[in-house]
Amino acid sequence: MTVLEADVSAPRDARATELGHGQPLLRVLSSSAFLLGVICTAFAVISLRVKANTNPFQDEGLYLYMGDRMIDHIISGVTVFEHPGSYFSGAPGLYPVVGAIADSVGGVQGARLVSLFFICITIVATYGIGNELFGKVSGLLGASAFALCGSVIFISHLATMDAMALCLMTLGCWLTAYSANHDKLLWAPIVGLILTCAFLTKYAMGVYVPGIAAIGVLLAWRHMRWGALRRGSLILASTAAAAFFILTFWAADLKRGIVSTTADRTPLSPTPREDLIWYVLEWIGPWILLAMLGALTQPRRWPISVLLLAMSVIGPLQQIRIGEGTSLSKHVAFGLVFAAPLIGSLLAWMVKRTRWVGVLIALALAATMMVSGTRNAEQFLTTWVDDREMVAQLREEIAISPHKAILGEEPSAQRYALRTITAPEQWNDTFVLLYGNKKGDAAYREAIDQTHFGTIYLTLNTANGKKINEYLTNSETPYRLSKKVPFYRHGRYAGHYLVWTPKVLRR
């Protein structure tokens, strides 16, 4: 070898060595695990930067408070006389206990971080579904699109059962798709158990179980044919059997809650259907449109595309049908798990066909989604009132009459905030009251006439709250309007609590 040849070959050898050293790093940076970590980290940063009320939402106060009560029941056998199973939209022994444990460590913010953790797992599982259906790139892009939705960000902030239920449902769907593609029939009972837990965490998850089983059938049909029906039937049967066993032999009292909150629900917040349609279009319309376009990129797999599109809108359509506005801003996120793979398919198709043009379009769509998602999330996260002044006022009233009953209009958040200085039996709401041998309006009037309550505070948001305030105002009762405490929404004055206290203080 000449000197010149040696000089030329040395840089080549060095470059080859550098590439050899760089390949493991390149493999790590391009791996699904690393990219999912980046997506989840970015989601957590975006979520935590969105402005949110620091005081608990009514549902957060309710679940965390009842979670503490359930823990006392499990450990000490304390009777939970509130019977939360009869009106909760999920089993009070599941998420409320998880949330209460986190609350005992880090307060309501700690419980909210648990929801953020559940949503991060949901993002990973959404990738898994997209990967099994349409490939790795589609899975990653679909998971990113899912994470940018305002409703998803909203759920990640709330210490409620929604994040945990969505996580379990998505994991069940991922395992269904994985087992169908890899012929793992033994996964079916495990999927059934996971979907049962999702259903018990939030009963509305039950509507997605048949569709998830159908996804398994369609995926397995290519290599199992009629044997695929056995897979889907086993998922349905194991889910139904587990739920039946639990509801029959362990938690029969949950049946009433399933009927009243889900199966035969009476709208708590009746809303015109045209308004609900507009909300759905505003909050997830762009995602559904992209999913529909994504379905066009899969012409040979139209059955599964149609199924995914149907599952992405079944939840909102049900609320539109019954005219229910309550929790719609949370529930629209559930179906996006099924829209996300189709969105990922569309974005992957664009990138593959048009290269850098497709990348630029995907980035522009992501930026638009992020702006829309963060704006909607911030709107959702500041809709409940800032009640800190009312909590401070209640502390003063409780100090005056520490053992007297309290009547509040939707008092869950205040009951949670004051749980260390009050007993559970002190709290009453304007939804139902049993007093003596009476109930309803007669019970409230008799309790008021006998000065049963040490404090009454009302916002006039419920029918009974308005009736109670009218009775206090127009009748000769032993109460006086002692204070009007302001509350705020979106940082602006939005009304006030009417605080009624006894004319003669009684301890």
Side-chain angles (χ1 to χ4, degrees):
M1 179 184 293
T2 66
V3 174
L4 180 60
E5 289 174 337
D7 290 339
V8 171
S9 62
R12 290 179 179 174
D13 293 341
R15 284 197 298 271
T17 302
E18 289 175 2
L19 288 173
H21 287 306
Q23 283 178 351
L25 177 60
L26 184 62
R27 283 197 297 269
V28 170
L29 294 178
S30 62
S31 67
S32 299
F34 176 79
L35 294 174
L36 283 171
V38 171
I39 294 171
C40 290
T41 301
F43 172 78
V45 171
I46 293 171
S47 176
L48 293 174
R49 285 180 62 86
V50 172
K51 181 181 178 182
N53 284 355
T54 56
N55 61 300
F57 176 51
Q58 178 184 339
D59 288 354
E60 292 180 301
L62 176 63
Y63 297 144
L64 297 179
Y65 183 85
M66 285 301 174
D68 280 331
R69 299 276 287 140
M70 293 301 297
I71 291 173
D72 289 341
H73 171 70
I74 294 169
I75 295 177
S76 306
V78 173
T79 301
V80 182
F81 61 82
E82 297 94 340
H83 304 294
S86 64
Y87 61 90
F88 269 25
S89 57
L94 291 177
Y95 171 76
V97 171
V98 174
I101 293 172
D103 174 64
S104 67
V105 176
V108 67
Q109 300 303 329
R112 287 174 176 175
L113 286 177
V114 170
S115 291
L116 177 60
F117 172 73
F118 281 131
I119 293 299
C120 286
I121 296 177
T122 303
I123 292 171
V124 174
T126 301
Y127 155 77
I129 297 169
N131 180 41
E132 296 297 334
L133 292 175
F134 306 123
K136 172 183 172 180
V137 176
S138 296
L140 289 169
L141 293 174
S144 300
F146 170 80
L148 294 174
C149 179
S151 182
V152 176
I153 298 172
F154 178 40
I155 291 175
S156 73
H157 264 280
L158 287 182
T160 61
M161 58 185 63
D162 300 276
M164 180 175 171
L166 181 58
C167 176
L168 290 169
M169 185 268 287
T170 311
L171 283 174
C173 186
W174 180 16
L175 287 179
T176 297
Y178 177 85
S179 64
N181 281 340
H182 298 84
D183 198 22
K184 301 290 186 180
L185 185 60
L186 291 178
W187 277 107
I190 298 175
V191 169
L193 183 59
I194 293 173
L195 293 178
T196 300
C197 290
F199 164 70
L200 292 175
T201 301
K202 188 176 181 73
Y203 305 135
M205 293 296 102
V207 74
Y208 298 105
V209 174
I212 291 172
I215 288 174
V217 171
L218 291 175
L219 284 177
W221 183 263
R222 292 173 295 178
H223 57 273
M224 292 184 65
R225 293 301 174 183
W226 294 105
L229 293 178
R230 180 178 59 182
R231 180 187 303 277
S233 299
L234 186 55
I235 290 174
L236 290 175
S238 57
T239 304
F244 175 81
F245 177 84
I246 291 171
L247 293 175
T248 301
F249 299 104
W250 177 61
D253 59 320
L254 299 183
K255 296 176 184 177
R256 182 179 171 187
I258 294 172
V259 172
S260 64
T261 66
T262 308
D264 189 23
R265 183 185 180 99
T266 300
L268 296 176
S269 179
T271 306
R273 290 188 176 90
E274 54 270 23
D275 289 348
L276 296 176
I277 293 172
W278 173 252
Y279 294 147
V280 171
L281 292 176
E282 180 184 359
W283 297 337
I284 63 168
W287 282 261
I288 298 301
L289 176 60
L290 291 175
M292 293 173 66
L293 294 175
L296 298 179
T297 67
Q298 301 290 335
R300 295 183 179 180
R301 306 186 66 186
W302 64 266
I304 202 162
S305 296
V306 171
L307 176 60
L308 291 173
L309 286 173
M311 294 178 70
S312 67
V313 296
I314 189 172
L317 286 178
Q318 168 63 4
Q319 290 202 221
I320 292 171
R321 185 187 70 82
I322 66 174
E324 173 65 283
T326 299
S327 297
L328 181 63
S329 55
K330 296 186 295 182
H331 294 167
V332 292
F334 299 162
L336 287 188
V337 166
F338 307 101
L342 292 172
I343 298 173
S345 174
L346 172 67
L347 298 177
W349 179 85
M350 288 194 305
V351 171
K352 181 178 180 181
R353 291 297 181 91
T354 60
R355 300 293 180 182
W356 288 109
V357 175
V359 172
L360 292 175
I361 293 174
L363 290 174
L365 288 172
T368 304
M369 287 179 173
M370 186 173 69
V371 171
S372 173
T374 53
R375 183 185 66 244
N376 288 335
E378 187 167 315
Q379 180 186 12
F380 300 151
L381 287 163
T382 52
T383 50
W384 64 90
V385 301
D386 185 342
D387 66 347
R388 284 175 291 183
E389 289 191 29
M390 187 65 238
V391 170
Q393 181 65 34
L394 284 173
R395 287 186 185 275
E396 294 181 12
E397 301 296 341
I398 291 167
I400 295 171
S401 303
H403 304 297
K404 292 282 286 185
I406 304 164
L407 175 60
E409 194 161 7
E410 302 174 306
S412 296
Q414 296 82 43
R415 180 177 60 176
Y416 162 79
L418 299 167
R419 64 194 182 281
T420 59
I421 61 173
T422 58
E425 58 271 15
Q426 288 181 253
W427 290 92
N428 302 269
D429 57 43
T430 58
F431 296 109
V432 63
L433 177 69
L434 300 177
Y435 187 78
N437 296 321
K438 298 179 180 180
K439 62 181 180 179
D441 293 347
Y444 287 111
R445 287 194 295 268
E446 183 169 322
I448 289 170
D449 291 341
Q450 296 181 4
T451 325
H452 176 65
F453 305 110
T455 307
I456 300 172
Y457 65 102
L458 307 168
T459 57
L460 311 185
N461 285 334
T462 64
N464 280 340
K466 294 175 182 177
K467 292 178 182 178
I468 292 167
N469 187 69
E470 183 178 351
Y471 183 69
L472 289 166
T473 303
N474 300 327
S475 303
E476 187 63 35
T477 70
Y479 288 86
R480 63 185 177 89
L481 181 62
S482 60
K483 192 158 282 189
K484 293 183 178 180
V485 180
F487 58 79
Y488 306 87
R489 185 180 285 111
H490 303 300
R492 296 187 296 272
Y493 171 80
H496 50 257
Y497 293 94
L498 302 174
V499 182
W500 295 82
T501 54
K503 296 174 182 176
V504 178
L505 295 179
R506 299 182 181 182
R507 289 185 177 270

